[in-house]
Amino acid sequence: DTGVSQNPRHKITKRGQNVTFRCDPISEHNRLYWYRQTLGQGPEFLTYFQNEAQLEKSRLLSDRFSAERPKGSFSTLEIQRTEQGDSAMYLCASSFSGTQANEKLFFGSGTQLSVL
Amino acid sequence: KQEVTQIPAALSVPEGENLVLNCSFTDSAIYNLQWFRQDPGKGLTSLLLIQSSQREQTSGRLNASLDKSSGRSTLYIAASQPGDSATYLCAGSLYSSASKIIFGSGTRLSIRP
């Protein structure tokens, strides 16, 4: 069990550029979550996947944000035309949901995005 | 809209004290609840998970309880140590959307040697 892996750890970009983050969940986990966290706040829910299906998406997520999880394995989160307000830590988490729901979340170390 | 409140926002106590952190949900129909620890600049580590059929969980010096009638949870830390210094967050999901897990803002805990 190598845990949840996120890349890159840090990303600095200029306003207006597109960025993409990757998350590799724990291999047997069928659920994958994306959260955004700013300093002093708890993580804000963005979206989650059950296998390859994106089942819920927060209203916080504008049209500039898109997430995919092809084949139900790794996931990518893309932000188009970045704005300074997008600067935050982007966290990925995974869990296993079986016949008895057990939503114990395992988090990655996050990707810190800075938009200049 | 479901909101999660954690009180206090920050707490500083001397080493060895027992302490209680509080968490409350505006909607008491909580499906399950988790407590996490977060160190500065790091991801979150799950400490305790209280599943839908449970009311309490214990791990070492930590004990978490959930009162579903009021939508309140407490995290009890016994015999605190400087290594317990971190931010503690509670997170829960509702019966109406059991897979959407939402977080409080956390309690920043500092244990003085």
Side-chain angles (χ1 to χ4, degrees):
Chain A
D1 178 0
T2 57
V4 178
S5 176
Q6 290 189 247
N7 289 288
R9 285 297 314 276
H10 304 275
K11 179 69 177 178
I12 301 174
T13 192
K14 292 182 179 179
R15 185 163 51 96
Q17 297 293 306
N18 299 341
V19 294
T20 300
F21 311 141
R22 176 177 170 126
C23 172
D24 288 273
I26 293 172
S27 58
E28 64 268 25
H29 284 183
N30 52 4
R31 286 191 174 169
L32 186 146
Y33 295 78
W34 284 100
Y35 287 85
R36 178 172 66 189
Q37 186 178 28
T38 53
L39 199 62
Q41 299 298 312
E44 290 179 292
F45 172 83
L46 294 179
T47 188
Y48 95 92
F49 293 82
Q50 173 92 11
N51 299 312
E52 67 275 8
Q54 188 174 17
L55 296 186
E56 190 159 351
K57 188 174 172 180
S58 168
R59 278 168 280 183
L60 293 172
L61 228 57
S62 74
D63 292 343
R64 298 183 297 106
F65 288 73
S66 62
E68 293 182 342
R69 193 185 182 196
K71 303 178 182 177
S73 55
F74 71 93
S75 175
T76 57
L77 177 68
E78 182 183 15
I79 308 174
Q80 296 182 326
R81 304 180 304 282
T82 52
E83 301 173 356
Q84 288 184 325
D86 297 332
S87 296
M89 175 77 85
Y90 290 82
L91 294 163
C92 175
S94 69
S95 69
F96 177 73
S97 176
T99 52
Q100 181 181 10
N102 178 349
E103 284 290 331
K104 186 170 185 178
L105 287 183
F106 293 82
F107 277 84
S109 297
T111 294
Q112 181 67 52
L113 173 65
S114 298
V115 182
L116 305 178
Chain B
K1 178 189 170 189
Q2 172 70 303
E3 292 187 354
V4 185
T5 302
Q6 289 193 243
I7 296 171
L11 181 62
S12 178
V13 300
E15 180 178 4
E17 281 202 6
N18 303 326
L19 55 100
V20 174
L21 307 181
N22 298 287
C23 172
S24 64
F25 291 73
T26 51
D27 185 336
S28 61
I30 300 166
Y31 182 71
N32 66 27
L33 183 138
Q34 296 182 69
W35 282 91
F36 292 85
R37 169 187 172 135
Q38 186 173 31
D39 293 286
K42 302 288 179 62
L44 285 73
T45 301
S46 180
L47 297 172
L48 293 164
L49 165 66
I50 303 176
Q51 297 188 48
S52 58
S53 59
Q54 300 170 332
R55 294 294 180 268
E56 188 175 10
Q57 279 291 318
T58 297
S59 176
R61 294 182 294 107
L62 305 180
N63 174 273
S65 63
L66 174 61
D67 179 351
K68 290 197 171 186
S69 64
S70 64
R72 297 176 185 271
S73 176
T74 60
L75 177 67
Y76 176 81
I77 302 176
S80 58
Q81 302 172 358
D84 295 331
S85 298
T87 296
Y88 291 80
L89 298 114
C90 71
S93 61
L94 302 178
Y95 278 92
S96 58
S97 179
S99 299
K100 181 178 177 180
I101 299 169
I102 58 173
F103 283 79
S105 295
T107 293
R108 193 170 63 254
L109 178 63
S110 174
I111 307 298
R112 306 189 300 269

